[in-house]
Amino acid sequence: MKQRLQKIYWTGILVTLLMAAATAAGAAALRIADTRNYLTAMLEASSKWTLDTNADLQDLADSIADSSPPLRAVFLLDSGLVIADSMDSGTDSGIFHDHDPEIEAAREGKTGTAFRFSGRGGSLVLYMAGRVAPQLLLRLSYPVFETAKYLLFYGALLAVLFLVLHRLQRAEITRFAKDHERQMDEVRRLLDGEISDAEAVFPEYRPSLDSIAYRSRRLRDDREEILRTLNLRNDFIANASHELRSPLTSVRGYAEMLKEGLADTPEERELCLDMILSESGRMLEVIEDILLLSKAEKKTYRSEEMIHVRPLAEEAALSLGPGASKAGIDISCTGDMQVRAAEKDIWEILYNLTDNAVRYGKDGGYVRIVMEPGRIEVQDDGIGIAPEQIGHIFEQFYRVDETRESPAGGTGLGLSIVKAIVNGYGGRIEAESTYGEGTVFTVTFPEEVLP
Ligand code: ADP
């Protein structure tokens, strides 16, 4: 990163300096072109003037040199001998310019041009020479600019420019590099979890950081969900094994008693057989509930058919009627509601809730199945559920009375099955209870499955 910035930095400076130099060269080229045009015009004009004597030539040279911008005018003979010089008014100076390229060209009748450094003026000079009369040449010279001054000026300008650029860019690059390093450090700390607040980091990274934070949150949630599911599965296996082991142990025990002839009388043998039947029946009940629960959790609940709940409630009440009558419990159904669901699922909900209400009911009490649009309530005036227990009753294998020997004891899966079905339709199930006075289970369905 640092190296790249350095590269950009030096390239920037080089380009700027090159541009400055190109601008200076362009300005110089324009100046030279102007001067050349001017000298050409002067040469052409001079050839039209009448030239008589040396004195006239000196005057003429002086008057040409007086023009603006000031020139140096030199009249020479073809041999190169100077006969009039605006910078040297003494004629016949005896100086020869026979080898200068512009003079040689002028001798051949052309307009000679040369561009060289003159030691005398200490500057870069443009020379132009041409024939103005037979045997007479005129050379005009003009210091295009005073080289030393020019170089000094532009050199100083470039140096200042370089320094300013150097300062500016260095400061900017240093600031940028520092910012970048700090930002990267903050990002690293955020990812390492050393800081949790993405707001503290620079705004330009916000969208990416928000997205990283969102993804890591999702990953964490997914991981927790997987762990929770694994734990639930482990609990489920442990509970199911426990539920099955108890009746199986009893079955084995009674079977062994029979085999070893420990049940002597026919009554004792009858008792052993009854126990084996009831315990194996219990095992079957647990297995059936496990299968039902697993189906209820896997199933996708969707039905096109809108059904009436009332007939199903009456059917459930009828099936549970004999048991309820034994305890003097009265089951009643009031109202009706419609729901888009499979009859079997609604029956399962009603049957389980009503069965619980009867099993945990009081002798001579009541069970009411109340149906209203969008909701079903199953009310009883039974034993109720203590407040510390009510939060657990929908858990798998949870029983308020841990001793499975309780006369009302079920598998502890009924409410889990009901909840799985209700959830499958997008509904909710809630329980309200007053310990010792009764319980109300309320099932509500979402609008999508209602008329
Ligand atoms: P179970 O097969 O044991 O009835 P459930 O899942 O149906 O299992 O019920 C879980 C527990 O919730 C029961 O053990 C019981 O203690 C309590 N319960 C459920 N319904 C009622 C109710 N109507 N009145 C009192 N307690 C109830």
Side-chain angles (χ1 to χ4, degrees):
M1 182 73 189
K2 238 181 186 164
Q3 274 179 356
R4 266 186 63 193
L5 286 177
Q6 291 280 357
K7 223 167 151 184
I8 293 170
Y9 162 69
W10 283 113
T11 314
I13 286 195
L14 200 71
V15 167
T16 320
L17 289 179
L18 280 176
M19 278 169 69
T23 313
L30 278 176
R31 186 96 183 263
I32 290 167
D34 276 357
T35 311
R36 195 188 295 266
N37 290 341
Y38 178 66
L39 293 187
T40 310
M42 286 299 285
L43 272 177
E44 276 173 12
S46 303
S47 64
K48 292 189 188 99
W49 298 328
T50 313
L51 308 167
D52 294 334
T53 63
N54 285 2
D56 289 336
L57 284 179
Q58 184 59 48
D59 287 348
L60 194 55
D62 289 343
S63 73
I64 292 171
D66 265 356
S67 63
S68 170
L71 300 175
R72 180 179 180 192
V74 177
F75 284 100
L76 316 95
L77 294 178
D78 265 18
S79 61
L81 178 67
V82 175
I83 51 173
D85 186 339
S86 63
M87 264 174 94
D88 244 333
S89 29
T91 51
D92 294 334
S93 61
I95 298 168
F96 279 89
H97 284 286
D98 48 348
H99 294 306
D100 291 344
E102 72 276 10
I103 303 291
E104 278 177 5
R107 237 182 244 135
E108 287 164 19
K110 299 178 200 154
T111 302
T113 307
F115 193 54
R116 63 180 174 273
F117 192 79
S118 158
R120 188 169 179 177
S123 64
L124 200 60
V125 177
L126 179 64
Y127 295 97
M128 286 189 90
R131 183 174 294 286
V132 290
Q135 290 297 316
L136 188 65
L137 308 175
L138 171 60
R139 188 186 76 172
L140 300 174
S141 55
Y142 178 73
V144 182
F145 23 71
E146 290 172 347
T147 321
K149 276 191 208 160
Y150 170 81
L151 287 178
L152 207 67
F153 173 72
Y154 271 101
L157 200 71
L158 282 181
V160 170
L161 192 69
F162 173 82
L163 278 176
V164 170
L165 280 175
H166 178 76
R167 285 268 151 157
L168 281 178
Q169 294 204 14
R170 204 174 178 88
E172 191 56 24
I173 284 175
T174 312
R175 194 186 63 76
F176 179 78
K178 268 193 186 150
D179 275 1
H180 183 78
E181 266 172 31
R182 200 164 62 227
Q183 286 173 350
M184 291 322 287
D185 188 50
E186 298 232 10
V187 172
R188 184 191 58 72
R189 287 173 55 211
L190 189 81
L191 293 179
D192 285 354
E194 286 174 34
I195 48 172
S196 57
D197 185 12
E199 307 237 351
V201 185
F202 297 86
E204 50 267 45
Y205 287 113
R206 281 295 299 284
S208 323
L209 287 174
D210 283 350
S211 146
I212 291 171
Y214 170 73
R215 273 152 215 262
S216 59
R217 238 187 352 260
R218 282 268 314 266
L219 277 176
R220 214 173 28 237
D221 290 351
D222 287 353
R223 183 176 163 274
E224 276 166 18
E225 181 63 35
I226 290 169
L227 283 178
R228 215 175 14 250
T229 312
L230 280 176
N231 282 342
L232 280 178
R233 206 186 62 172
N234 288 344
D235 287 353
F236 183 85
I237 292 170
N239 280 323
S241 314
H242 185 68
E243 289 296 322
L244 290 172
R245 200 178 54 189
S246 311
L248 195 59
T249 312
S250 300
V251 169
R252 265 187 77 100
Y254 289 115
E256 271 167 12
M257 271 175 75
L258 284 175
K259 187 159 188 269
E260 285 163 21
L262 295 175
D264 298 331
T265 61
E267 290 76 29
E268 277 175 356
R269 280 197 288 278
E270 182 76 18
L271 186 79
C272 284
L273 288 171
D274 280 351
M275 289 311 285
I276 287 172
L277 271 177
S278 94
E279 288 301 289
S280 58
R282 187 172 172 75
M283 279 168 63
L284 206 60
E285 211 182 308
V286 173
I287 289 167
E288 271 168 4
D289 272 1
I290 288 174
L291 288 174
L292 217 60
L293 179 67
S294 118
K295 258 199 238 160
E297 282 179 340
K298 264 195 228 151
K299 206 166 137 186
T300 43
Y301 292 88
R302 194 168 294 140
S303 170
E304 292 307 312
E305 203 188 343
M306 189 66 78
I307 55 160
H308 282 273
V309 172
R310 175 73 184 242
L312 300 169
E314 282 169 354
E315 210 181 293
L318 204 67
S319 339
L320 293 164
S325 317
K326 261 192 219 161
I329 296 173
D330 173 57
I331 307 178
S332 66
C333 300
T334 50
D336 190 11
M337 69 159 290
Q338 281 179 281
V339 63
R340 190 172 289 113
E343 284 190 348
K344 204 175 137 310
D345 297 331
I346 300 300
W347 184 87
E348 195 76 55
I349 296 170
L350 290 165
Y351 184 88
N352 271 290
L353 293 179
T354 313
D355 182 36
N356 278 353
V358 172
R359 279 192 292 126
Y360 304 108
K362 268 190 214 138
D363 286 355
Y366 66 80
V367 173
R368 292 179 192 142
I369 306 172
V370 181
M371 287 147 282
E372 288 168 12
R375 59 194 268 141
I376 303 171
E377 271 186 20
V378 178
Q379 311 167 349
D380 67 64
D381 60 350
I383 61 172
I385 307 164
E388 64 274 16
Q389 309 271 13
I390 203 153
H392 299 285
I393 57 171
F394 293 103
E395 290 169 13
Q396 292 163 1
F397 295 109
Y398 186 83
R399 287 195 205 82
V400 170
D401 182 359
E402 274 302 320
T403 65
R404 290 170 183 80
E405 281 29 278
S406 143
T411 59
L413 287 174
L415 288 180
S416 307
I417 294 168
V418 171
K419 190 171 179 184
I421 299 173
V422 173
N423 285 350
Y425 282 104
R428 283 170 62 84
I429 178 160
E430 276 156 19
E432 269 179 54
S433 184
T434 310
Y435 190 54
E437 286 182 23
T439 309
V440 178
F441 281 90
T442 309
V443 176
T444 44
F445 291 96
E447 298 215 334
E448 301 92 82
V449 293
L450 295 176

